[in-house]
Amino acid sequence: MDIRSTGAKRVPLERDRRWTVVKYALLSRVACLILGIVSSAIVNDYDASAQLVLAPATTYLAQVLRTLAHIVLRWDAFYFVHIAGSGYVYEQEHAFFPLLPILMRTLTQTVLRPLVAVGGEQAVLAVAGCIISNACFVAAAVTLYALGQYTLRNERLAYIASLLFVFAPSNMFMSAVYTESLFAWLVFSAMLCIARRQHVVASLLLCASSLCRSNGVMYAGYLVWDVVVRREAWIGKRWTQMVVRAVAAAGLVAVSVLGFVGFQIYGYRTHCLQPLYPNHPSRAYCDGLPATVYGFVQAEYWDVGFLRYYTWSQIPNFLLAAPMIVLSIAGIYTCAAHDPVRLATLGWKRRPSLQTASLDTAFLGNRLLPHIYLWVLLLAVATTTMHVQVITRMFSAVPAVFWFAAHLASKDRFTQCIITGYFVGYGLVGVVLFSNFFPPA
């Protein structure tokens, strides 16, 4: 293990790096919020909705709360704040999952309760969401570092990847009242637990993630992979043992998706069994599966659906997403080209794996296989079904993105400049645009 000397005491390098990641993560969040406040003060907002929602400031402390709330209360954040304060009133609000609003409301009614009388409930709810997002961002960066050490078997590449996460293109969304940071921390923690064979804890974390974002259900595949699919799981096992493992995997997956399922049941009960608007026409999800409240709302209010985004007017959004799409295709191709048989056989036929990996080979290890499969699945969904510009923040919870970016950045100075330039540049521009209510969102 690499160590760094500090006088008479020798400190493990991993411990030093972990705290270095914490330091950079904290500094990046402070810098992000300061830049947002400054740009909002200089540039007139494209939309003044936040000014109408937040109560007027009558004291210095109220002004501080209002200033911070003002820059993080943008786009989808309005929905999260409204849900946290009033619950699910409107049908379209079911596009936004309840975990973040629950945490915001809890924090507002406990630790931040004295501030409500000073700055108003809306401002304090927004500040609570900001605190949660930034705390989870720091935790996610450290967890990604630990996960990278296990998966890549190369501490330096894991460290570079965690720093790239700190300066991710989705920069401002990780600090605003959005679910990106909370979701990233939950799924990174679940992956780390799975790597340590702590499957029950991982399933509970994934359950929370599916109560945070809909794509949390896709991460349940990691449990199936680790318990029954990977080749090592079969070594020395009889078929009866594997049947038991398959049943256990099914139970773990059921727990993992419980958050999503529970939220759909809540929506069904709210709008079908006890409708808020009795005269409202019956919805497809009231007729039962396969329709869900979430799927209906996304299609009805946001026009989300297979190839619906493929119109001439959306070309600018495809251009915004192009760097992340190209990076993803390159990463998947690099892994596939290294050992195509391994990828095609779910890792059952493959080259020997090294116990340690160099910077050049760490991204090509066998432990990355489930991450690559998830990457392929999410890329397919993002480019065919979703609002494609969302890919930069959706992929903030895909570890392979940062591992491949670190793999490229470690090759030569030119490639390093391209990668860091994209991550930092896109992120900084995003802070300015978001803080002033300009698209994209």
Side-chain angles (χ1 to χ4, degrees), residues 339-358:
D339 193 345
V341 174
R342 176 186 65 174
L343 197 68
T345 61
L346 300 178
W348 279 72
K349 293 184 179 181
R350 64 197 187 197
R351 298 178 183 178
S353 179
L354 300 175
Q355 290 300 311
T356 58
S358 66

Side-chain angles (χ1 to χ4, degrees), residues 9-36:
K9 187 177 181 180
R10 294 169 72 81
V11 182
L13 179 60
E14 287 82 355
R15 186 180 304 166
D16 286 354
R17 299 271 200 167
R18 188 177 301 118
W19 286 109
T20 302
V21 172
V22 170
K23 178 181 69 176
Y24 280 117
L26 287 171
L27 289 174
S28 74
R29 294 310 90 200
V30 172
C32 174
L33 292 173
I34 291 176
L35 177 59

Side-chain angles (χ1 to χ4, degrees), residues 263-287:
F263 184 50
Q264 301 315 300
I265 292 174
Y266 168 76
Y268 175 83
R269 290 177 60 87
T270 300
H271 296 287
C272 300
L273 300 184
Q274 301 170 344
L276 293 173
Y277 308 102
N279 297 325
H280 202 284
S282 178
R283 297 303 203 183
Y285 55 80
C286 291
D287 299 328

Side-chain angles (χ1 to χ4, degrees), residues 295-314 318 383-388:
F296 175 85
V297 166
Q298 286 284 6
E300 180 75 10
Y301 294 94
W302 279 271
D303 198 31
V304 172
F306 186 67
L307 301 184
R308 288 190 183 184
Y309 221 52
Y310 281 72
T311 62
W312 292 110
S313 62
Q314 298 301 337
F318 276 92
T383 54
T384 62
T385 307
M386 294 171 43
H387 291 184
V388 71

Side-chain angles (χ1 to χ4, degrees), residues 9 17 31 49 66 92 132 171 227 255 303 348 390 394 402:
K9 187 177 181 180
R17 299 271 200 167
S49 299
R66 196 176 194 276
Q92 62 265 36
I132 292 166
N171 198 334
V227 176
V255 172
D303 198 31
W348 279 72
V390 176
M394 179 187 182
F402 303 100

Side-chain angles (χ1 to χ4, degrees), residues 185-241:
W185 172 62
L186 287 171
V187 295
F188 291 168
S189 298
M191 293 174 194
L192 187 59
C193 286
I194 292 171
R196 294 170 175 170
R197 305 294 180 263
Q198 299 169 339
H199 296 130
V200 174
V201 177
S203 67
L204 294 175
L205 287 166
L206 289 175
C207 176
S209 77
S210 72
L211 194 63
C212 181
R213 291 182 66 91
S214 63
N215 50 314
V217 299
M218 298 182 183
Y219 288 74
Y222 280 97
L223 288 166
V224 178
W225 172 272
D226 198 67
V227 176
V228 296
V229 175
R230 64 186 179 92
R231 188 176 67 176
E232 290 78 6
W234 290 75
I235 296 177
K237 303 290 193 308
R238 295 190 300 272
W239 72 269
T240 52
Q241 292 175 299

